[in-house]
């Protein structure tokens, strides 16, 4: 007897459900790498700053993208801000 598989999620459903479900799955190191990406730090500089190999940092980035359901580092940073995983470092106040 064949079992029916659930229908695959539409793209709009995946983009809403996947990041919310995966947000708690980021390790502390992955959150640290994500925060540095948000500051605009390149993988090589992240590796030097954290005392890791560049390959390890790239692996963390790959896992972050997968867990957040993102296709780019920029998208991952935007999703992280939207989910509250990252907080703005500062706000710019208008000068009189």
């Amino acid at each position: 007897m064949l079992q029916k598989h659930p229908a695959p999620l539409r793209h709009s459903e995946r983009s809403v459900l996947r990041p919310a479900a995966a947000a708690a799955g980021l390790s502390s190191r992955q959150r640290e790498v994500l925060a540095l990406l948000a500051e605009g730090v390149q993988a090589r500089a992240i590796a030097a700053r954290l005392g890791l190999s560049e390959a390890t940092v790239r692996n963390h980035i790959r896992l972050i993208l997968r867990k957040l359901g993102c296709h780019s580092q920029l998208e991952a940073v935007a999703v992280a801000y939207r989910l509250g995983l990252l907080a703005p470092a500062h706000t710019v106040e208008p000068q009189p």
Side-chain angles (χ1 to χ4, degrees):
M1 179 174 207
L2 295 174
Q3 293 183 356
K4 290 187 176 182
H5 295 285
L9 294 175
R10 293 186 309 253
H11 179 71
S12 61
E13 292 171 324
R14 280 182 280 165
S15 61
V16 171
L17 296 176
R18 193 179 299 168
L26 291 179
S27 70
S28 59
R29 180 64 88 182
Q30 290 165 351
R31 287 178 188 244
E32 191 174 11
V33 169
L34 184 59
L36 291 169
L37 288 175
E39 293 177 16
V41 181
Q42 298 292 321
R44 181 174 289 173
I46 292 172
R49 191 179 293 188
L50 299 180
L52 303 171
S53 73
E54 190 173 349
T56 299
V57 171
R58 291 193 186 285
N59 189 47
H60 283 309
I61 293 169
R62 183 179 53 80
L63 292 172
I64 290 165
L65 296 179
R66 181 184 297 162
K67 288 180 179 183
L68 294 180
C70 298
H71 298 287
S72 70
Q73 294 176 24
L74 179 61
E75 183 184 8
V77 169
V79 167
Y81 276 116
R82 189 174 71 233
L83 294 175
L85 297 174
L86 296 172
H90 65 282
T91 57
V92 178
E93 295 183 24
Q95 295 183 354

